């Protein structure tokens, strides 16, 4: 595998909207997979785990989750520098807190 692969919840309207924007800017540098379209034979964690938060498998085979997966996915776009700011030392705790808050709200409504 020579590209990162992002796994997302295709049944989530917010997720699908963000993925639509992401796909517009990645220019085929990132593989984007809807969790609901994965085959049983694919080497990925089970669907329940994938649905619990955003997952990205790097080209090197490492799994990244949550906001880190989102930041890495956007690194494949011209906006990579803006997304890197979310990982700066003073901003990172706040951005991760907001991601976890959004995730809890998303998971409680599904």
């Amino acid at each position: 595998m020579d590209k990162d692969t992002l796994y997302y919840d295709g049944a989530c309207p917010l997720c699908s909207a963000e993925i639509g924007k992401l796909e517009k800017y990645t220019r085929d540098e990132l593989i984007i997979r809807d969790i609901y379209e994965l085959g049983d034979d694919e080497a990925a964690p089970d669907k329940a785990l994938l649905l619990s938060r955003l997952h990205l498998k790097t080209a090197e085979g490492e799994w990244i989750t949550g906001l880190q997966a989102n930041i890495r996915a956007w690194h494949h776009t011209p906006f990579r520098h803006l997304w890197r700011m979310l990982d700066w030392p003073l901003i990172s705790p706040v951005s991760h807190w907001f991601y976890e808050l959004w995730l809890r709200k998303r998971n409680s409504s599904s």
Side-chain angles (χ1 to χ4, degrees):
M1 174 182 290
D2 58 347
K3 296 181 182 180
D4 290 350
T5 304
L6 182 69
Y7 297 86
Y8 79 101
D9 180 355
C12 168
L14 287 173
C15 304
S16 294
E18 182 172 354
I19 293 301
K21 292 173 192 163
L22 183 62
E23 285 178 319
K24 192 173 10 176
Y25 296 109
T26 60
R27 295 184 299 273
D28 297 325
E29 295 176 15
L30 175 70
I31 299 167
I32 300 174
R33 300 293 316 271
D34 181 341
I35 295 163
Y36 291 104
E37 294 177 1
L38 296 177
D40 292 332
D41 59 336
E42 294 191 50
D46 68 46
K47 288 181 184 175
L49 180 62
L50 288 173
L51 289 168
S52 68
R53 65 181 41 243
L54 196 62
H55 283 72
L56 182 140
K57 187 174 183 181
T58 68
E60 298 79 31
E62 176 187 0
W63 284 94
I64 303 172
T65 63
L67 184 61
Q68 289 302 122
N70 206 342
I71 292 169
R72 172 88 179 225
W74 281 92
H75 278 195
H76 295 282
T77 74
F79 305 106
R80 68 181 58 82
H81 302 296
L82 295 173
W83 283 84
R84 272 191 203 134
M85 290 188 305
L86 294 177
D87 223 11
W88 288 356
L90 293 175
I91 297 173
S92 179
V94 176
S95 59
H96 283 271
W97 182 82
F98 274 110
Y99 178 82
E100 293 299 323
L101 180 68
W102 176 84
L103 188 63
R104 283 193 299 273
K105 181 174 172 48
R106 175 194 172 276
N107 288 339
S108 70
S109 65
S110 50

